[in-house]
Amino acid sequence: MTPLLFVGMIGALVALTLYFFATKAPILPPLISEHGQLIDDQIYLTLIITGAIFAIAQLGLAFLVYKYRHREGAKATYLLGSHKLEYTWSAATLVLFVGLNLMGQKVWAEMHLNEHPKPAIEVEVTGLQFKWYIRYPGKDGVFGRRDVNMINDAEGNFLGLDKTDPKGADDIVMGSLTVPVGVPVVMKIGSRDVIHNFGVRELRVKQDAVPGLAVYIPFKATQTGSYEVACMELCGYGHYQMRSQLNVVTMAEYTKFLADNAP
Amino acid sequence: MAALEIREAPAAAPARLSEGAGGPSGPAGGSDGGGDGDGDGGKGQHLPRRTYFTALWLALAGSFMIFAALASSYIVRRGLGGDWQALHLPPILWFNTLALLGSSALVEWARRGLAAGRLDAFRMRWLSGTTLGLMFLGGQGVAWWELHRAGMTLSANISASFFYVLTVAHALHVLVGVGALLYVAALALKGRAEAKGGLAADLSALYWHVLDGVWLCVLGLMLVWR
Amino acid sequence: MSAESAAEHVHVHEPPSSFIRRWIFSTDHKVVGIQYWILALVAAFVGMWLSVVFRLHLANEGTIAQLNNQLSALAPDSAQAQALTEQIKALQAKWFVLTPEKYLSYLTMHGTILVFMVLTTAPMGGFGNYFLPIQIGALDMAFPRLNMLSIWLTILSFITLMAAFFVPGGPPNSGWTGYPPLSAIPAAQGKGYEGPGGYGQDLWVLSIAIFCFASLVGAINFIVTTLDLRTKGMTMLRMPLTCWAWFVTAILSLLSFAVLLVAGLLLLLDRNAGTSFFIPGDLFFNKPLVDHRGGSPILFQHLFWFFGHPEVYIAIVPGMGLVSHLLSTFARKPVFGYAAMVFAIFGIGIVGFFVWGHHMFQSGMSPYVAVAFSVMTMVVGVPSAIKTFNWLGTLWGGNIRFTSPMLYALGFVSLFVTGGIGGIFLGQNAVDIYFHDTYFVVGHFHLIMGVAAIFAMFAGTAFWFPKMFGRMMNEPLGKIHFWITFAGVNVIFITMHLMGLEGHPRRYSGFNYDFLSSNYMVTCHKIVTHTAILTATTQLLLLVNIVYSLFAGPKATDNPWEATSLEWAIPSPPPFENFKGGHVPEVHHGPYEFSVPGAAKDYIMQQEPPEARPATAPSAH
């Protein structure tokens, strides 16, 4: 009774898990970035490989449990192991796991190691409890100076822009991120208080915003539309409502956006 | 100690030696009196001598990790630069270093005296070593006081923060060491220093020497990455 | 000297006669072990209760978010809208609705309590303390008084942690990982955490510091005992795999807790002494923060995870040892590849020290280092795979007896596989870009280090209960508990994996996003919550089983499972000295001599005379 129940339980586990993972396909949210394709490919590849490992290991366990259940008069085999088998499966898993990992390094290099594409639109993303602010350098393409002592939330100077700095005169600060489609963008991500994380599911971008540190993340959006930005690193009680928006627009709309919001 | 073997294996299996020496130790056999020091939980379990050294080395490995974590934090934090102000180490540290090294030498000399059975020499040297150890602690206190007076308080600059954390962590270890030295000195005055082959003296001496090494590393760290 | 003449001379040591010295401040490793086990049991129920409360909160929030969506589509004055508003109000008035601060506090305490007070204490301090000395043939741990110090420091640490519930502001809300600056600056945690009060985070750090110290002392004791107190014939390679696992776990504890101690200490200074180890400059909390500059939040993460990753193995490795032991015992077969199992445990332990960075792929640390950490993480999958294969190999050709400890052990293997699979995703730096800090992570680590380790504890409890208390546990109750719990945890945590695939962020106390208030997500949340309540309630069965069996369970024989290791060669429960009169038997056999061809029974106990094993049988150890 027990071994049969165990087989049933494992069978249900494997069947249901595979069913839900397979029928939810495409299980990831729609993709809107160029590099994201590589991430998705890697995720799907990993899903297939691990799905097979999962099924084989679980069903193998269930099979052995049933096949070698206790029966009257049965005797276990005195078997101490097999170095040959152990070496084989160690080597196989090593090659499989490390190989799989190395395949994923291309997209990592693209995002973090290689020189970022130029020319690119540069925006500055700043997290603070519990909002995102995005700054555009304006026409001069240069960000103005920031000073923590000039921060004044009541006056709307959340980033502490130095009004006396001429370079900052044309800077635009917005509560959401608007970028043109098909153009490389580099975000400079930072924080003014605790650690946040700038995450957009559809963009396949996620990066901690660390106070005292600027991290540069490139992306190229491939589809227009409006997407939700979420904070992905615990930043305090308002963590769950630190919501912003990513608007991917056409180049014409983007130019208009900049012009409309120019100070 | 009248250890009693209970099976064929004599010396090779010390863990099985049951200690009958305590005589009518009964239920209280585990207390400090008749038993085996820390080795006894009231069951007369005998610990071979090397066990104490294994334990000490392991404890030192734990302490090593504490200092390794502090040192790597120090180096990383120093590398971030920016706000780091070079710290002028109080000159008394050099005197303290000498006191600590001298203390270590005296303790070692004492230990050898004990091994040679020269109890008077042992007491004399051991107590001098302990005094030098106390002088080190006093000297560290002076160093902290001087820094404090010079405005380098714990929160004044990160270099000072690290100085205090590293030296206090070391001083706490030294405090434990001084406690051990004093314990052995007390044993010596009661004429029991040579018990168990001078185990207490050997253990404290080993610990004490390692603290020298730790101190030199701490000092070196603060000199190399000022 | 013959055994008989020795017995005459042996001085029998009586346990202390005072109740307090015998059962409260006891140096007896068996009492200390039971104290650890009880501490873990109490802590597990506290932690589980917290999770039930915030799960209820989450399911409720899902419904509220959906109703709010409907409401926003209606005209504000319509009757329908008013009905909806009433409905929302009713939901918001439920007893389990938490403020965001409280939600995060409960989350933080749930994690801290379970990781430290349950996963670290029970497998090692509990079963390890009780059975390591007996299994290797020692009368007690090497330093019984230090052992007593460990348990009482651990209890003090638990009390300190619980005290955080009773200070103004309550427990900290910075997560069990306590990343600064959130954990370092009182103002960052919200109102009630600044100024006087808000000591919750300090108590949390203090509790962990005490815990570190207790673990260091405990670890030294375990290693020394294993190295120096083995009985005659008990070579290292004749130790049961449980002992190997405790040994490696102790080494991991020794090397990792010291680093956590440093992280905690520096964090405490940053909080209270105005230093800037982890706090950078130019921060703004209501006003510019002037007294800190230059610190590195990432430095804390390195220190924390240098401890934190080995901690995962501290939780799971004793379980691996025990499960190997049980699979062999109940399949009546030697462990498949004993030596490989030992190497794998060591491999996991050693490589486990070089993978901590995989918790920090998106933290802003050097992306080059991330690649190295990622590759190392894949390498640590190899010994884990060896273990899984060898467990299956142990079952192969067996004669499996389905007792409740065996079921828990089989459950462990299944959970370990399911949980381990998630690790193949998260260990890849590229894939982690998508999965970082989603429910996928929550599902993964709960399965592998949470539930799998807890199944090992169930197995240990069911297996050793007869030895510890002299009575058998109730089998049908144990099996029912197993089936419901096993099914429940799979539903809960695999559903979380599915939510993670959709990108659901972890540590959210509400769902003000379109993708979070979708029918799919809210349904998932409800499934998880309902199953969690069912599974948590089922744990009462375990409690009932324990209490009932303590008083009314059938009396246990010395060796009810027909097992081989030394604890089964002594009475149940064991006498004060473990082995009568301190008379430890000599060991002549390996730990897993089951179904040896030509032997009289299907198991040979370790202390049986050499003749018990036919000379013709293939040699094992």
Side-chain angles (χ1 to χ4, degrees), chain A residues 87-108:
Chain A
Y87 287 132
T88 315
W89 57 52
S90 306
T93 38
L94 185 70
V95 171
L96 184 68
F97 289 178
V98 175
L100 184 64
N101 184 301
L102 294 179
M103 288 180 67
Q105 296 308 335
K106 185 165 177 251
V107 59
W108 185 260

Side-chain angles (χ1 to χ4, degrees), chain C residues 117-140:
Chain C
M117 305 298 163
V118 181
L119 296 178
T120 314
T121 56
M124 182 78 177
F127 297 126
N129 252 313
Y130 200 112
F131 289 104
L132 173 73
I134 305 185
Q135 285 193 336
I136 63 170
L139 303 187
D140 207 313

